[in-house]
Amino acid sequence: MSLNFTVAVPTYNGAERLPLVLERLRSQVQTESVTWEVIIVDNNSTDQTAAVVRQFQADWPDHTPLKYCLETRQGSAYARQRAIKEAQGEFVGFLDDDNLPAANWVAEAVQFARARPKAGAFGGQILGNFEVQPSREFKQVKSFLVIRKYADHPKLFEPEQLRLPPGAGLVVRKQAWLACMPESFTRAHRGGHDYEISLHLYKAGWEIWFNPAMQIEHCIPAWRMEKDYLVRIARIYGLCTCEIRLIIAAPWQKPLILVKGFLGSSRRLARHWLKHRGKIGTGLAAACETAFLWGSVLSPFHYLQKRLLHFVAK
């Protein structure tokens, strides 16, 4: 049966987090004219995730199927690929197991999709739902936890500048995914996979949009606000910069992007170091920016090393 919309929730050991997500999905409003389903993609969990889903299935509305499937290949990229394979909806909206959608999230997503036939993917606002009160300095690094608002009105993203929606709350057109997504992702096990989705769609001619009417809350536990964790995430984002940019580059452009990326990141790192010499080791924002810029400087070499290892393996 063909549906309008599929909500796909990849999860790994999400037994404690999933109930909040499922309650939000069960309480969606303004969906009378929408045919939709929910799929939980268990990404090889070792906890009671399957049992939690079964409990909800026993008391779930008949008009909106709640399905469960197991994907044993570890990684969000594999879980999302499995979700696309299982989905019956024309559009697939991805929620992580710590994303709480607003009551009208499904309705707003379907309405937005119907109005934009060239949209291959779109995302919305992501608000923070914090276990502990964030520090004043946290505002400067919240983007590393994909807490963001791109604009006050619907707006096209800028893929050439790597201004793209994260995977949390991302909605994709299934037809577009099947037509242009590779069988395997470059960064299936590491940060940056989210951007790969939008870049492949953009490269194939699809538009990538921001829809402020779609809102989700990203639940942030205390440990994800600690400095060591945020610095590590910032470095991962930096390391993937070059590899991600090359997705939409022509072959002749790739050497130029590698050189330009190294020189540009080196200049930015030098300016940052001169500006924050006394705070790089102690200040949260300065430390995260340093980690990101160091990752960006190393990004071309990280990419070349991967290519060399791939060549040797062949």
Side-chain angles (χ1 to χ4, degrees):
M1 178 179 64
S2 180
L3 306 175
N4 300 138
F5 199 72
T6 295
V7 179
V9 186
T11 182
Y12 173 69
N13 286 348
E16 293 185 3
R17 298 181 297 274
L18 272 177
L20 291 175
V21 183
L22 290 170
E23 287 292 354
R24 290 289 187 98
L25 290 172
R26 181 157 56 185
S27 304
Q28 290 292 296
V29 299
Q30 301 170 12
T31 58
E32 293 80 8
S33 64
V34 178
T35 56
W36 62 294
E37 65 180 353
V38 177
I39 299 176
I40 305 300
V41 184
D42 185 345
N43 198 196
N44 215 23
S45 297
T46 58
D47 66 356
Q48 297 300 309
T49 290
V52 168
V53 177
R54 285 195 298 269
Q55 286 180 328
F56 274 86
Q57 284 174 325
D59 187 31
W60 194 260
D62 292 335
H63 56 77
T64 305
L66 172 59
K67 303 176 182 177
Y68 168 92
C69 65
L70 177 66
E71 175 52 64
T72 57
R73 295 176 300 170
Q74 207 74 51
S76 62
Y78 297 122
R80 287 174 178 151
Q81 285 176 315
R82 179 63 182 272
I84 290 290
K85 181 180 179 181
E86 300 287 338
Q88 298 296 310
E90 180 183 359
F91 294 90
V92 180
F94 293 109
L95 292 174
D96 295 335
D97 62 13
D98 57 4
N99 297 162
L100 307 180
N104 63 347
W105 187 78
V106 169
E108 291 291 349
V110 172
Q111 180 180 347
F112 192 85
R114 286 171 173 168
R116 289 165 178 80
K118 293 183 180 180
F122 52 92
Q125 291 191 60
I126 304 176
L127 311 175
N129 185 324
F130 302 103
E131 183 180 28
V132 298
Q133 183 66 27
S135 66
R136 186 178 303 175
E137 203 177 9
F138 179 77
K139 280 187 177 181
Q140 298 171 266
V141 300
K142 64 181 182 180
S143 62
F144 291 119
L145 294 178
V146 296
I147 299 169
R148 62 187 69 176
K149 178 181 178 181
Y150 188 59
D152 293 321
H153 51 82
K155 182 179 179 181
L156 283 167
F157 278 100
E158 301 171 273
E160 302 284 350
Q161 305 302 319
L162 292 190
R163 296 192 180 105
L164 293 162
L170 183 69
V171 178
V172 300
R173 188 183 299 267
K174 182 176 178 179
Q175 167 198 351
W177 178 297
L178 293 176
C180 60
M181 215 59 66
E183 291 186 10
S184 60
F185 287 94
T186 301
R187 303 192 61 81
H189 300 284
R190 301 169 299 278
H193 154 66
D194 296 355
Y195 279 13
E196 279 194 75
I197 295 172
S198 291
L199 286 172
H200 283 296
L201 292 169
Y202 174 74
K203 186 177 181 180
W206 293 96
E207 295 175 347
I208 313 299
W209 280 88
F210 173 74
N211 175 18
M214 288 166 47
Q215 293 188 8
I216 63 173
E217 297 174 42
H218 186 191
C219 297
I220 309 294
W223 63 268
R224 294 191 70 184
M225 299 173 65
E226 294 175 359
K227 182 180 175 181
D228 288 348
Y229 176 82
L230 289 167
V231 166
R232 186 166 69 252
I233 292 298
R235 185 174 184 274
I236 290 172
Y237 272 105
L239 279 173
C240 75
T241 302
C242 183
E243 199 168 15
I244 292 299
R245 286 189 184 280
L246 294 178
I247 289 174
I248 56 175
W252 65 269
Q253 293 176 312
K254 292 185 177 183
L256 297 176
I257 290 175
L258 291 171
V259 174
K260 185 178 178 180
F262 171 73
L263 295 176
S265 296
S266 297
R267 283 195 299 270
R268 289 192 294 275
L269 178 61
R271 287 198 298 267
H272 175 73
W273 186 82
L274 290 172
K275 183 180 178 180
H276 298 284
R277 273 180 295 182
K279 298 180 180 179
I280 284 179
T282 58
L284 175 63
C288 287
E289 185 68 11
T290 301
F292 174 78
L293 290 172
W294 262 119
S296 299
V297 169
L298 296 173
S299 183
F301 305 101
H302 181 69
Y303 167 76
L304 291 172
Q305 181 186 42
K306 280 185 62 180
R307 296 298 300 169
L308 178 60
L309 291 174
H310 179 72
F311 177 78
V312 170
K314 281 188 172 183

mmCIF file of all heavy atoms in Angstrom, residues 108-125:
data_model
loop_
_atom_site.group_PDB
_atom_site.id
_atom_site.type_symbol
_atom_site.label_atom_id
_atom_site.label_comp_id
_atom_site.label_asym_id
_atom_site.label_seq_id
_atom_site.Cartn_x
_atom_site.Cartn_y
_atom_site.Cartn_z
ATOM 1 N N GLU A 108 2.979 19.118 9.131
ATOM 2 C CA GLU A 108 3.743 20.197 8.499
ATOM 3 C C GLU A 108 4.711 19.652 7.450
ATOM 4 O O GLU A 108 4.925 20.278 6.409
ATOM 5 C CB GLU A 108 4.517 20.981 9.562
ATOM 6 C CG GLU A 108 3.653 21.808 10.490
ATOM 7 C CD GLU A 108 2.994 22.992 9.792
ATOM 8 O OE1 GLU A 108 3.370 23.301 8.642
ATOM 9 O OE2 GLU A 108 2.106 23.613 10.402
ATOM 10 N N ALA A 109 5.292 18.487 7.711
ATOM 11 C CA ALA A 109 6.210 17.890 6.740
ATOM 12 C C ALA A 109 5.487 17.523 5.451
ATOM 13 O O ALA A 109 5.972 17.808 4.343
ATOM 14 C CB ALA A 109 6.872 16.654 7.347
ATOM 15 N N VAL A 110 4.322 16.900 5.571
ATOM 16 C CA VAL A 110 3.575 16.485 4.383
ATOM 17 C C VAL A 110 3.090 17.701 3.601
ATOM 18 O O VAL A 110 3.180 17.747 2.372
ATOM 19 C CB VAL A 110 2.388 15.584 4.782
ATOM 20 C CG1 VAL A 110 1.492 15.304 3.584
ATOM 21 C CG2 VAL A 110 2.903 14.273 5.381
ATOM 22 N N GLN A 111 2.597 18.714 4.297
ATOM 23 C CA GLN A 111 2.126 19.924 3.629
ATOM 24 C C GLN A 111 3.259 20.609 2.874
ATOM 25 O O GLN A 111 3.099 21.052 1.739
ATOM 26 C CB GLN A 111 1.530 20.891 4.656
ATOM 27 C CG GLN A 111 1.007 22.186 4.055
ATOM 28 C CD GLN A 111 0.424 23.113 5.108
ATOM 29 O OE1 GLN A 111 0.194 22.719 6.234
ATOM 30 N NE2 GLN A 111 0.202 24.355 4.730
ATOM 31 N N PHE A 112 4.429 20.696 3.502
ATOM 32 C CA PHE A 112 5.589 21.324 2.879
ATOM 33 C C PHE A 112 6.030 20.545 1.641
ATOM 34 O O PHE A 112 6.331 21.123 0.590
ATOM 35 C CB PHE A 112 6.733 21.403 3.879
ATOM 36 C CG PHE A 112 7.879 22.275 3.448
ATOM 37 C CD1 PHE A 112 7.840 23.638 3.683
ATOM 38 C CD2 PHE A 112 8.991 21.726 2.829
ATOM 39 C CE1 PHE A 112 8.906 24.449 3.294
ATOM 40 C CE2 PHE A 112 10.057 22.521 2.443
ATOM 41 C CZ PHE A 112 10.023 23.887 2.679
ATOM 42 N N ALA A 113 6.055 19.226 1.746
ATOM 43 C CA ALA A 113 6.486 18.375 0.638
ATOM 44 C C ALA A 113 5.542 18.498 -0.560
ATOM 45 O O ALA A 113 5.988 18.571 -1.714
ATOM 46 C CB ALA A 113 6.560 16.926 1.093
ATOM 47 N N ARG A 114 4.252 18.530 -0.304
ATOM 48 C CA ARG A 114 3.275 18.630 -1.386
ATOM 49 C C ARG A 114 3.410 19.941 -2.152
ATOM 50 O O ARG A 114 3.139 19.996 -3.357
ATOM 51 C CB ARG A 114 1.861 18.504 -0.814
ATOM 52 C CG ARG A 114 1.488 17.083 -0.385
ATOM 53 C CD ARG A 114 0.170 17.073 0.362
ATOM 54 N NE ARG A 114 -0.295 15.710 0.636
ATOM 55 C CZ ARG A 114 -1.299 15.417 1.463
ATOM 56 N NH1 ARG A 114 -1.936 16.393 2.127
ATOM 57 N NH2 ARG A 114 -1.655 14.155 1.652
ATOM 58 N N ALA A 115 3.844 20.988 -1.466
ATOM 59 C CA ALA A 115 3.929 22.309 -2.090
ATOM 60 C C ALA A 115 5.221 22.516 -2.870
ATOM 61 O O ALA A 115 5.337 23.507 -3.600
ATOM 62 C CB ALA A 115 3.797 23.392 -1.021
ATOM 63 N N ARG A 116 6.183 21.572 -2.769
ATOM 64 C CA ARG A 116 7.492 21.766 -3.406
ATOM 65 C C ARG A 116 7.923 20.480 -4.111
ATOM 66 O O ARG A 116 8.681 19.678 -3.579
ATOM 67 C CB ARG A 116 8.528 22.191 -2.355
ATOM 68 C CG ARG A 116 8.282 23.619 -1.877
ATOM 69 C CD ARG A 116 9.033 23.953 -0.621
ATOM 70 N NE ARG A 116 8.784 25.338 -0.243
ATOM 71 C CZ ARG A 116 7.693 25.759 0.399
ATOM 72 N NH1 ARG A 116 6.762 24.876 0.731
ATOM 73 N NH2 ARG A 116 7.535 27.037 0.692
ATOM 74 N N PRO A 117 7.455 20.310 -5.352
ATOM 75 C CA PRO A 117 7.752 19.066 -6.083
ATOM 76 C C PRO A 117 9.224 18.881 -6.423
ATOM 77 O O PRO A 117 9.632 17.776 -6.775
ATOM 78 C CB PRO A 117 6.903 19.198 -7.352
ATOM 79 C CG PRO A 117 6.661 20.664 -7.518
ATOM 80 C CD PRO A 117 6.578 21.210 -6.127
ATOM 81 N N LYS A 118 10.039 19.942 -6.307
ATOM 82 C CA LYS A 118 11.467 19.822 -6.608
ATOM 83 C C LYS A 118 12.308 19.588 -5.354
ATOM 84 O O LYS A 118 13.531 19.477 -5.441
ATOM 85 C CB LYS A 118 11.964 21.076 -7.331
ATOM 86 C CG LYS A 118 11.374 21.249 -8.726
ATOM 87 C CD LYS A 118 11.965 22.462 -9.427
ATOM 88 C CE LYS A 118 11.385 22.630 -10.824
ATOM 89 N NZ LYS A 118 11.951 23.818 -11.518
ATOM 90 N N ALA A 119 11.650 19.504 -4.212
ATOM 91 C CA ALA A 119 12.381 19.296 -2.953
ATOM 92 C C ALA A 119 12.789 17.834 -2.826
ATOM 93 O O ALA A 119 11.939 16.945 -2.781
ATOM 94 C CB ALA A 119 11.527 19.714 -1.763
ATOM 95 N N GLY A 120 14.085 17.593 -2.760
ATOM 96 C CA GLY A 120 14.577 16.237 -2.536
ATOM 97 C C GLY A 120 14.707 15.918 -1.072
ATOM 98 O O GLY A 120 14.585 14.768 -0.658
ATOM 99 N N ALA A 121 14.951 16.969 -0.279
ATOM 100 C CA ALA A 121 15.074 16.809 1.170
ATOM 101 C C ALA A 121 14.827 18.145 1.838
ATOM 102 O O ALA A 121 15.027 19.205 1.232
ATOM 103 C CB ALA A 121 16.458 16.286 1.547
ATOM 104 N N PHE A 122 14.385 18.095 3.080
ATOM 105 C CA PHE A 122 14.232 19.328 3.850
ATOM 106 C C PHE A 122 14.278 19.010 5.337
ATOM 107 O O PHE A 122 13.963 17.898 5.767
ATOM 108 C CB PHE A 122 12.939 20.074 3.488
ATOM 109 C CG PHE A 122 11.684 19.248 3.554
ATOM 110 C CD1 PHE A 122 10.920 19.184 4.708
ATOM 111 C CD2 PHE A 122 11.247 18.541 2.436
ATOM 112 C CE1 PHE A 122 9.764 18.439 4.751
ATOM 113 C CE2 PHE A 122 10.078 17.784 2.468
ATOM 114 C CZ PHE A 122 9.332 17.729 3.644
ATOM 115 N N GLY A 123 14.710 20.001 6.097
ATOM 116 C CA GLY A 123 14.787 19.864 7.544
ATOM 117 C C GLY A 123 14.114 21.043 8.213
ATOM 118 O O GLY A 123 13.697 21.990 7.548
ATOM 119 N N GLY A 124 14.013 20.990 9.529
ATOM 120 C CA GLY A 124 13.338 22.051 10.260
ATOM 121 C C GLY A 124 14.142 22.530 11.449
ATOM 122 O O GLY A 124 15.345 22.282 11.564
ATOM 123 N N GLN A 125 13.468 23.234 12.347
ATOM 124 C CA GLN A 125 14.111 23.761 13.546
ATOM 125 C C GLN A 125 14.429 22.636 14.521
ATOM 126 O O GLN A 125 13.635 21.707 14.693
ATOM 127 C CB GLN A 125 13.196 24.751 14.256
ATOM 128 C CG GLN A 125 12.971 26.054 13.532
ATOM 129 C CD GLN A 125 12.269 27.048 14.436
ATOM 130 O OE1 GLN A 125 12.784 27.416 15.495
ATOM 131 N NE2 GLN A 125 11.080 27.473 14.036
#
